[in-house]
Amino acid sequence: AAYEGWACNPGNRQQSDCKRKEDMSDTVRDKAARLLKKRGSISSLGSHEIKAKEFTGRTKDSMSTVSYMDEPGHHDDNLRPPVQMENTYHLGPAKCFPVATVNNILKDVVTSYLEEEKYEAELCRQMTKTISEVIKARVKDLMIPRYKIIVLIYIGQLDKQSMQIGSRCLWDTTSDTFSSYAFKNRSLFAVANVYAVYFE
């Protein structure tokens, strides 16, 4: 039988065994490199512990070792102390919510979008989404810190009916507030509400 081109006879047994060991060490080293690459570990293959292969002359002391570190991230978290944020001791807003300014925004946006429109169910359904997004963007442009903004738009057909729209909120009356604007033309009515809730 032959192995990698070497005949296995008593005269060449030392060379054959050495060649087999070198091929096996290359295979093991390749497998280890692929495994480490999959894990994302740091490997030190081919460093000071691996001697160069020499097929002519020196084959006696060839050896191969693999050394690697554990996967990064497992021990780093245990060594780092948790970050603790200091309290700001701000129990109220530094700047009050500008109700009058937001009322003007509501009037401007709702009037510009609905002044010439006639009531159509599908059109008004899309219009409520558009108007609410525009109002929310305009209010956020005021850069009022630590307030969460909620915008609700109601659009309905105006047909000599009576309607009342009410809302109930659980909030802090010293910092939380709202703005509201009601609009109507010959075909439809609209109510726009903006709720501003202070977030400590």
Side-chain angles (χ1 to χ4, degrees):
Y3 180 80
E4 295 291 331
W6 293 91
C8 290
N9 56 37
N12 276 343
R13 184 168 296 165
Q14 185 179 2
Q15 288 181 335
S16 177
D17 291 341
C18 185
K19 176 65 176 173
R20 188 178 296 118
K21 286 179 184 176
E22 287 177 357
D23 289 339
M24 288 176 64
S25 67
D26 288 345
T27 305
V28 170
R29 190 170 62 217
D30 290 343
K31 284 184 181 179
R34 283 196 300 271
L35 181 63
L36 293 174
K37 192 177 288 185
K38 284 181 183 178
R39 285 186 182 177
S41 303
I42 302 169
S43 63
S44 60
L45 293 175
S47 62
H48 62 282
E49 297 183 7
I50 299 177
K51 294 187 178 180
K53 293 187 294 182
E54 297 179 5
F55 292 108
T56 58
R58 289 180 52 195
T59 57
K60 185 176 180 181
D61 294 330
S62 294
M63 59 180 267
S64 175
T65 59
V66 177
S67 60
Y68 62 92
M69 295 172 57
D70 290 333
E71 293 184 21
H74 287 290
H75 301 292
D76 294 343
D77 296 339
N78 297 333
L79 299 176
R80 294 180 184 170
V83 178
Q84 293 183 349
M85 306 297 288
E86 292 187 10
N87 293 328
T88 60
Y89 301 105
H90 287 276
L91 300 179
K95 178 182 176 183
C96 292
F97 189 80
V99 176
T101 305
V102 176
N103 280 338
N104 291 334
I105 291 173
L106 292 177
K107 181 178 179 180
D108 181 41
V109 174
V110 172
T111 303
S112 64
Y113 274 88
L114 297 178
E115 190 171 14
E116 301 296 330
E117 294 294 333
K118 292 183 179 180
Y119 180 79
E120 293 178 17
E122 186 61 29
L123 173 67
C124 290
R125 187 174 69 83
Q126 295 295 329
M127 199 67 74
T128 55
K129 296 178 182 178
T130 304
I131 292 173
S132 63
E133 290 296 326
V134 171
I135 290 172
K136 185 168 67 173
R138 292 270 304 266
V139 172
K140 284 187 174 183
D141 287 343
L142 298 175
M143 302 294 289
I144 308 160
R146 302 183 74 91
Y147 270 97
K148 291 190 175 184
I149 307 300
I150 302 153
V151 182
L152 295 177
I153 306 294
Y154 305 93
I155 299 176
Q157 185 176 15
L158 192 62
D159 193 19
K160 298 180 182 179
Q161 80 274 29
S162 176
M163 180 176 291
Q164 293 181 342
I165 297 174
S167 62
R168 300 176 68 182
C169 301
L170 180 63
W171 63 16
D172 184 0
T173 56
T174 59
S175 57
D176 303 336
T177 186
F178 73 99
S179 296
S180 183
Y181 176 72
F183 168 85
K184 67 178 180 178
N185 61 15
R186 293 183 179 180
S187 178
L188 56 82
F189 70 90
V191 178
N193 292 330
V194 173
Y195 300 93
V197 181
Y198 180 71
F199 182 70
E200 292 182 358

